[in-house]
Amino acid sequence: MSADQNRITLHIDMDSFYSSVETREKPEIRGKPVIVGSDPKKGTGRGVVSTCSYEARKYGIHSAMPISKAYKLCPDAVYLPVDMELYKSTSSRIMEILREFSSRFQQVSVDEAYMELDKDITDYDKAIDVAKNIKENILRREGLTCSVGIAPNKVIAKIASDFNKPDGLTVVSPEEAKQFLDPLPISKIPGIGKKTALLLREMGLGTVGQLAAYDVQLLIARFGKFGLTMHRMANGIDEREVEETEGVKSISKEDTFDEDIADPDTIKKVFYVLSEKVHASLLKKRYRFRTVTIRVRYGNFSTYTRSRTLSCASTDLYVMRREALHLMKEFTGTGRFRLLGVGVSNLEKIDERQTLITDY
């Protein structure tokens, strides 16, 4: 499946994001078919559907459909313009929630992201607990649902997240990957659009399993490098790393202990060391922080995060340590810890002319 057989990757995909945010903001339209996009102008509009609610999809409406056709299919739907600032601000808060759960994070669009779980979580049952915690946090803090795919790599996780929408949770272990992928239509492979799917069907390839078993050299001859990529993905092979692609979003450090710890003095020392590491990285990259986050994992693998946002950005190590220890007070004395972590986010780039606070 991948170079690291112990890797567990999550793909988080928000459910009908634009229309779900609109429904959250306008409770009176809940349960109605909602279409976000261009003005239909009573069926004469020239734009397209950006996204639509699941109620609208029952009428056969989907994203990228001409808005005029959507209006003919469902003239009584609620039609709303795109409010990108609202969606971006909501997305930013959701991505901050996701970053609390792993230091290996990659946002790929306004409504989806990958994360790779910490190396001490090699049990898919524990990964399910993490996913459920993520879903609960997003629902409680933002009032929105998401679907999560859990798998050994990015391509399988992405396919899995779309398998049981909305509000789904689909798990595909390495042993189950072939059984999961083979019956799926070839269109489920990322990157295979209508034109490529038509060409593949003309070659007698309608399912992922058929594509996986096909002669890879013939695929390369027909599709070039993408032929090899399709063949590898159909076989569940994807060695791409989960990594940030647009600048630094957060900086975090954590420590997994050989033996669970509970002693308050030991815990305090751990937070001192972790904070110093985060602070050193912060200064090297020349950022200020506004939000401090801690992550704690008990011996039974239950994991919690707590965050606090400052009134103004800082580079002060003392402030970082103080906030981390304050957040930890909630957990001190409640059990033994397998992992502790400290992170900062809401980062601001420091101008080269500005002085950094480096005193401890």
Side-chain angles (χ1 to χ4, degrees):
M1 297 298 104
S2 65
D4 183 356
Q5 290 293 320
N6 293 322
R7 180 186 302 170
I8 299 181
T9 303
L10 271 61
H11 182 255
I12 300 91
D13 193 4
M14 300 305 298
D15 297 321
S16 186
F17 185 54
Y18 292 4
S19 58
S20 295
V21 173
E22 293 288 358
T23 301
R24 181 193 65 181
E25 299 296 308
K26 305 174 182 67
E28 67 274 11
I29 67 175
R30 188 178 303 277
K32 298 180 180 180
V34 177
I35 299 172
V36 178
S38 303
D39 185 348
K41 297 180 180 179
K42 296 184 178 181
T44 63
R46 295 173 59 102
V48 298
V49 174
S50 292
T51 190
C52 61
S53 66
Y54 289 94
E55 291 83 0
R57 295 182 191 187
K58 294 177 182 178
Y59 291 86
I61 298 168
H62 55 79
S63 60
M65 172 182 283
I67 199 73
S68 57
K69 182 177 180 180
Y71 187 84
K72 291 176 183 177
L73 291 172
C74 189
D76 295 326
V78 177
Y79 289 87
L80 297 170
V82 175
D83 187 349
M84 190 54 68
E85 289 305 312
L86 172 62
Y87 311 145
K88 284 183 177 179
S89 62
T90 302
S91 171
S92 179
R93 293 192 298 272
I94 290 170
M95 297 304 159
E96 286 301 319
I97 292 172
L98 296 180
R99 286 188 179 91
E100 295 173 6
F101 289 88
S102 178
S103 57
R104 299 292 298 276
F105 174 88
Q106 180 181 354
Q107 180 177 353
V108 291
S109 72
V110 72
D111 62 349
E112 62 178 313
Y114 292 99
M115 65 172 60
E116 186 176 317
L117 296 186
D118 303 317
K119 293 191 179 299
D120 67 321
I121 301 181
T122 57
D123 184 330
Y124 275 74
D125 289 336
K126 299 298 186 297
I128 292 172
D129 291 338
V130 174
K132 288 180 177 178
N133 201 350
I134 289 171
K135 288 166 65 68
E136 187 277 330
N137 267 270
I138 292 176
L139 180 61
R140 174 171 53 83
R141 293 157 66 175
E142 289 298 323
L144 299 170
T145 64
C146 67
S147 295
V148 181
I150 305 176
N153 58 45
K154 293 170 77 172
V155 67
I156 303 176
K158 181 174 176 62
I159 295 171
S161 69
D162 189 52
F163 190 72
N164 192 27
K165 274 184 163 288
D167 199 19
L169 174 55
T170 302
V171 184
V172 182
S173 69
E175 297 77 20
E176 299 167 329
K178 181 174 176 58
Q179 180 181 357
F180 171 74
L181 292 172
D182 279 1
L184 298 176
I186 51 176
S187 58
K188 292 296 182 181
I189 296 292
I192 296 183
K194 291 182 180 180
K195 292 182 180 179
T196 303
L198 178 61
L199 292 173
L200 289 170
R201 282 193 289 269
E202 290 175 351
M203 297 166 64
L205 306 178
T207 68
V208 174
Q210 290 172 333
L211 178 59
Y214 200 73
D215 188 327
V216 66
Q217 296 302 326
L218 294 179
L219 289 172
I220 294 172
R222 184 69 180 272
F223 299 99
K225 290 183 179 180
F226 188 56
L228 175 60
T229 300
M230 287 191 295
H231 190 262
R232 288 172 62 83
M233 289 192 292
N235 281 281
I237 299 171
D238 186 0
E239 297 179 355
R240 293 174 299 162
E241 297 286 340
V242 173
E243 55 189 358
E244 289 278 9
T245 56
E246 295 183 7
V248 178
K249 304 293 185 179
S250 63
I251 298 172
S252 62
K253 301 293 180 182
E254 56 193 31
D255 196 359
T256 301
F257 313 114
D258 293 332
E259 296 182 5
D260 298 348
I261 65 172
D263 176 61
D265 289 337
T266 302
I267 291 171
K268 184 176 181 179
K269 290 177 182 177
V270 169
F271 274 107
Y272 266 59
V273 171
L274 292 175
S275 296
E276 288 174 3
K277 290 181 179 180
V278 171
H279 186 254
S281 182
L282 188 80
L283 298 186
K284 182 178 179 180
K285 299 177 187 294
R286 298 191 64 81
Y287 281 98
R288 297 190 194 88
F289 66 91
R290 284 197 63 192
T291 299
V292 178
T293 300
I294 66 165
R295 193 148 65 107
V296 302
R297 177 171 299 144
Y298 290 95
N300 64 1
F301 282 87
S302 58
T303 306
Y304 300 88
T305 61
R306 294 293 184 269
S307 299
R308 184 169 186 273
T309 299
L310 308 173
S311 58
C312 59
S314 175
T315 59
D316 194 336
L317 173 61
Y318 169 76
V319 172
M320 188 189 305
R321 286 193 309 212
R322 180 194 68 198
E323 297 302 327
L325 291 172
H326 178 75
L327 291 167
M328 187 62 197
K329 286 182 179 180
E330 176 184 343
F331 301 98
T332 303
T334 60
R336 301 180 66 82
F337 303 101
R338 175 184 178 86
L339 174 148
L340 295 174
V342 176
V344 292
S345 56
N346 283 338
L347 304 181
E348 299 178 4
K349 193 69 174 178
I350 297 172
D351 189 284
E352 293 294 333
R353 296 167 295 180
Q354 294 174 316
T355 302
L356 298 175
I357 299 174
T358 59
D359 293 340
Y360 289 10

